[in-house]
Amino acid sequence: MAPVVHMPEPLCLIENINGLLLVNPKALKTLSAIQQPVVVVAIVGLYRTGKSYLMNKLAGKNKGFSVGSTVQSHTKGIWMWCVPHPEKPNHILVLLDTEGLGDIEKGDKKSDTQIFVLALLLSSTFVYNTMNTIDQRAIDLLHYVTELSNLLRTVTSPDLDGEDNAADFMSVCPDLVWTVRDFYLDLEANGRPITAGTDQHLQNFNLPRLCIQKFFPIKKCFIFDLPTHRKKLAQLETLHNDDLDPEFIQQVADFCSYIFSHSKTKTLSGGIKVNGSHLESLVWTYVNAINNGDLPCMENEVLALAQIKNSAAVQKAIAHYDQQMGQKLQLPTETLQELLDLHRVSEKGAMEVFMKNSFEDIDQGFQEKLETLLEAKQNDFCKRNLEASLNRCSALLQDIFCPLEEDVKQGIYSKPGGHRLFLQKREELKAKYYQVPRKGIQAEEALQKYLQSKESVSDTIWQTDLVLTAREKEMEVARVKAEFMKAEKERLGAILMQHQQMMERRERLHWEQVRQMEIKRLYQQALQQRDQERRLKEEAEKLKERFQAESRKLQDEIHHLQKNDSPDDTCILL
């Protein structure tokens, strides 16, 4: 179970010494011991307007926070009183009473602004205490300080900046309770009565009212009659209820009841419920930020408000520009003109946002600042566009030309005619590269740089090609020469063989002719011999016939003789 907080009287939480805010270690130690969630109610208003009296009533006491009786401010800096919450179990009600605004002894608005802003940032319910009525000056002051609070919260909690965190931002903003003291005007508007709690006074005006509505998610107004006769106001904290106006007593009771029942737990971004330790850290964070000069210090409230509003307008315009460019821009763009056209459209939208949210930018200094920032944004996008195009093209070239580089490493083109094949393949890959879309404005330059970086490879392949081609030509000449010699040898051998065959044919023909002549001679000789034999035969026949004829003649003669002669003569003849 969390320890019970026992704080019999308030402690100074933050001192204001010569314009410097100092944190009281004893008060921080008290905060750090609180483990329960805290409901932080802070009150701010002009000095000597009864702020401390209301805070004492919230603490359930008549005394505690100092209630002065002169025109001097009694409360200096911010005082804190931690008491158990009367209606929320296990919660601590942290009451913050602040130094009165407009103290005649200070004469310095800087201190007022710092206290005002701190009370806004630390509280979960912010009580704005004014006198007599809700006037323009009070509204302008509250508007001014809410803008400063936004600025300081942005400095100390950057995650809350931006439209995407609007709901989260609203959850950490305090509720507004506007208390109007010693109210003396008739509560009527357009002839109709206005009761406590109406927002009409906050809603029927222009920019300050709208900004206050936006900053405070819940708003409530309480009016308080004069509590007693003015001569008794100096002893207000010692007076009994019988000495006070009954309407005032009821109004205070209604105020306390509302604070107890409606004040929310202090919450951080992300829905984190704040305990004492968290609140201690917030005190350190905001005080250090203010002491480091993160809170603007300007005497003229209109100038300060213009500074804040126009700075915020510039930031909104830049955020709008970044959002539009982030949604529509795809780097790299195909052309520079595509980027410039999109920039002009987004720039126009940003200027419209600025003009809508700007306030009294009389010398157009903030507009010029916005133009300078947008020009810087354009230059940055152009630079990023170049880088994106170069990166994409480099990766694309590596991907497309990687197979060619591998082929070169493997010596595919280290052969006669390899350089021609290399150039042919390179042209094919260049065509493939050109066909890929959205390479950006560095496409051609990146390609040329890549090709230039690989020029030595091309030269090496060309030199190798020349050497190998010359060697191949020499080998071709030697081969052709060898083939020619072989062919010539074969031709001469064929001629020789043909000549030899011709000579052999001639010799065969010669011998054939000799044989034919011999045959003819023999034939002629045979014919002659046959003729001779025939003649001899004929002569023999003739001789035979002659012989026979001679024989017959002789026989005839003999026979004739025989017939004519004697036998002796015949015998002798025989």
Side-chain angles (χ1 to χ4, degrees):
M1 185 175 179
V4 177
V5 175
H6 179 69
M7 193 172 177
E9 59 183 5
L11 280 176
C12 181
L13 175 63
I14 300 171
E15 293 184 84
N16 182 5
I17 300 178
N18 298 325
L20 182 65
L21 300 178
L22 299 177
V23 180
N24 182 6
K26 185 177 180 181
L28 290 184
K29 183 178 180 181
T30 301
L31 279 179
S32 65
I34 299 176
Q35 301 177 10
Q36 303 95 322
V38 294
V39 176
V40 184
V41 179
I43 190 167
V44 170
L46 294 174
Y47 74 104
R48 303 301 299 121
T49 56
K51 301 186 305 298
S52 298
Y53 177 84
L54 290 179
M55 298 305 281
N56 286 335
K57 289 301 180 182
L58 289 176
K61 306 290 184 180
N62 289 327
K63 295 183 179 181
F65 291 113
S66 176
V67 178
S69 59
T70 67
V71 295
Q72 292 180 321
S73 173
H74 269 224
T75 304
K76 301 296 183 181
I78 298 179
W79 285 68
M80 176 187 74
W81 201 351
C82 302
V83 297
H85 198 288
E87 295 187 9
K88 291 185 178 181
N90 199 34
H91 280 67
I92 299 299
L93 180 62
V94 178
L95 302 173
L96 300 180
D97 190 17
T98 62
E99 178 178 343
L101 306 179
D103 186 355
I104 57 177
E105 293 184 352
K106 290 184 297 185
D108 180 13
K109 290 185 178 181
K110 176 182 176 182
S111 176
D112 287 349
T113 302
Q114 292 174 345
I115 296 299
F116 206 143
V117 169
L118 275 174
L120 264 178
L121 293 174
L122 294 175
S123 64
S124 57
T125 296
F126 179 76
V127 182
Y128 188 30
N129 193 63
T130 60
M131 290 296 292
N132 305 128
T133 186
I134 298 176
D135 59 11
Q136 184 66 33
R137 178 175 178 80
I139 292 175
D140 289 343
L141 178 60
L142 180 59
H143 175 212
Y144 167 54
V145 175
T146 56
E147 294 294 343
L148 287 178
S149 300
N150 271 332
L151 178 62
L152 188 60
R153 181 183 279 115
T154 301
V155 170
T156 56
S157 302
D159 291 341
L160 286 178
D161 193 22
E163 295 181 2
D164 292 340
N165 292 311
D168 198 21
F169 174 76
M170 295 304 295
S171 70
V172 303
C173 288
D175 297 339
L176 171 64
V177 175
W178 199 315
T179 56
V180 183
R181 308 298 297 275
D182 303 347
F183 195 79
Y184 61 82
L185 297 178
D186 291 334
L187 291 177
E188 288 185 356
N190 298 325
R192 296 181 179 180
I194 301 175
T195 59
T198 181
D199 290 333
Q200 187 167 344
H201 283 63
L202 300 179
Q203 296 172 352
N204 292 337
F205 298 92
N206 51 15
L207 178 64
R209 284 80 180 170
L210 295 176
C211 291
I212 290 172
Q213 284 185 357
K214 182 177 180 181
F215 186 88
F216 297 103
I218 298 176
K219 296 165 285 295
K220 181 72 174 177
C221 177
F222 286 92
I223 60 173
F224 296 88
D225 293 331
L226 191 67
T228 187
H229 192 277
R230 293 187 181 275
K231 292 182 179 180
K232 295 183 179 181
L233 289 178
Q235 293 83 32
L236 183 61
E237 64 180 8
T238 62
L239 295 177
H240 296 288
N241 287 345
D242 295 340
D243 298 321
L244 300 176
D245 187 325
E247 289 192 13
F248 175 77
I249 295 173
Q250 185 59 46
Q251 291 163 349
V252 172
D254 292 342
F255 167 78
C256 292
S257 176
Y258 178 85
I259 295 296
F260 294 151
S261 61
H262 289 82
S263 293
K264 61 188 179 182
T265 303
K266 177 68 176 175
T267 305
L268 298 179
S269 176
I272 301 173
K273 301 299 182 181
V274 174
N275 59 21
S277 178
H278 294 150
L279 188 59
E280 175 194 10
S281 299
L282 289 178
V283 171
W284 273 117
T285 299
Y286 293 135
V287 168
N288 287 337
I290 291 175
N291 288 335
N292 289 335
D294 289 330
L295 190 66
C297 177
M298 288 166 281
E299 291 295 326
N300 189 304
E301 291 179 1
V302 175
L303 177 61
L305 188 59
Q307 176 82 17
I308 296 167
K309 293 297 296 181
N310 292 329
S311 296
V314 169
Q315 293 302 317
K316 288 181 180 179
I318 291 297
H320 176 82
Y321 174 87
D322 290 340
Q323 180 187 34
Q324 292 298 309
M325 293 295 285
Q327 291 176 352
K328 300 177 181 179
L329 179 61
Q330 182 181 356
L331 297 178
T333 58
E334 198 67 47
T335 63
L336 177 60
Q337 192 61 44
E338 179 184 347
L339 173 60
L340 296 179
D341 291 343
L342 183 56
H343 164 76
R344 290 191 190 97
V345 174
S346 301
E347 180 184 41
K348 181 180 178 182
M351 294 302 298
E352 292 174 353
V353 170
F354 172 79
M355 298 305 295
K356 181 180 179 181
N357 292 277
S358 62
F359 176 77
E360 295 293 328
D361 188 21
I362 299 176
D363 59 355
Q364 297 183 335
F366 285 92
Q367 183 174 342
E368 293 177 358
K369 178 182 178 181
L370 175 59
E371 292 171 354
T372 301
L373 292 174
L374 291 175
E375 183 179 0
K377 290 277 186 181
Q378 175 186 341
N379 294 336
D380 181 63
F381 273 119
C382 289
K383 181 180 178 181
R384 288 167 54 190
N385 193 38
L386 287 173
E387 294 175 352
S389 176
L390 183 60
N391 292 337
R392 171 163 169 74
C393 292
S394 298
L396 187 61
L397 288 167
Q398 184 63 31
D399 182 58
I400 291 177
F401 283 85
C402 182
L404 180 63
E405 295 180 5
E406 289 297 323
D407 289 346
V408 171
K409 291 179 181 179
Q410 295 178 9
I412 300 298
Y413 301 103
S414 298
K415 61 183 179 181
H419 189 250
R420 177 181 59 80
L421 296 176
F422 172 80
L423 295 180
Q424 180 180 349
K425 185 64 176 179
R426 191 175 69 178
E427 290 301 315
E428 293 175 1
L429 297 180
K430 284 171 60 178
K432 182 178 179 181
Y433 171 79
Y434 284 128
Q435 291 174 356
V436 178
R438 299 202 68 82
K439 296 183 292 295
I441 59 178
Q442 288 289 91
E444 187 61 31
E445 184 175 349
L447 175 62
Q448 295 306 320
K449 285 184 177 179
Y450 174 82
L451 295 178
Q452 186 177 2
S453 69
K454 302 299 180 181
E455 195 63 33
S456 59
V457 176
S458 178
D459 292 341
T460 300
I461 295 176
W462 181 63
Q463 293 292 339
T464 303
D465 191 356
L466 289 178
V467 173
L468 295 179
T469 299
R471 186 178 303 171
E472 184 181 59
K473 287 182 179 179
E474 292 177 358
M475 294 174 62
E476 182 66 16
V477 169
R479 184 186 64 79
V480 171
K481 184 176 181 181
E483 290 181 354
F484 173 77
M485 294 300 295
K486 180 179 178 182
E488 188 67 14
K489 181 178 179 181
E490 291 177 352
R491 188 181 68 82
L492 292 177
I495 293 175
L496 181 60
M497 182 177 292
Q498 185 179 7
H499 178 70
Q500 185 176 357
Q501 290 175 351
M502 183 183 68
M503 294 300 294
E504 290 176 353
R505 286 198 301 273
R506 286 182 179 180
E507 185 177 2
R508 286 197 302 271
L509 181 58
H510 171 70
W511 287 111
E512 181 65 23
Q513 290 176 346
V514 170
R515 191 179 69 81
Q516 289 294 332
M517 290 175 63
E518 181 65 22
I519 291 174
K520 186 176 180 180
R521 185 185 65 77
L522 293 175
Y523 178 73
Q524 292 293 334
Q525 186 178 1
L527 287 177
Q528 290 175 358
Q529 184 175 0
R530 190 176 63 179
D531 287 343
Q532 186 177 3
E533 287 178 351
R534 184 179 57 78
R535 284 193 305 270
L536 288 175
K537 185 176 180 181
E538 287 178 353
E539 289 179 358
E541 286 294 331
K542 286 179 181 181
L543 287 176
K544 181 178 178 181
E545 289 177 357
R546 183 178 177 184
F547 176 74
Q548 287 175 351
E550 285 295 330
S551 176
R552 280 188 313 267
K553 183 178 178 182
L554 182 54
Q555 285 177 359
D556 287 342
E557 285 179 359
I558 290 170
H559 181 68
H560 180 73
L561 282 174
Q562 283 176 352
K563 284 180 177 186
N564 297 320
D565 290 336
S566 62
D568 292 337
D569 290 333
T570 305
C571 292
I572 295 168
L573 185 53
L574 289 170

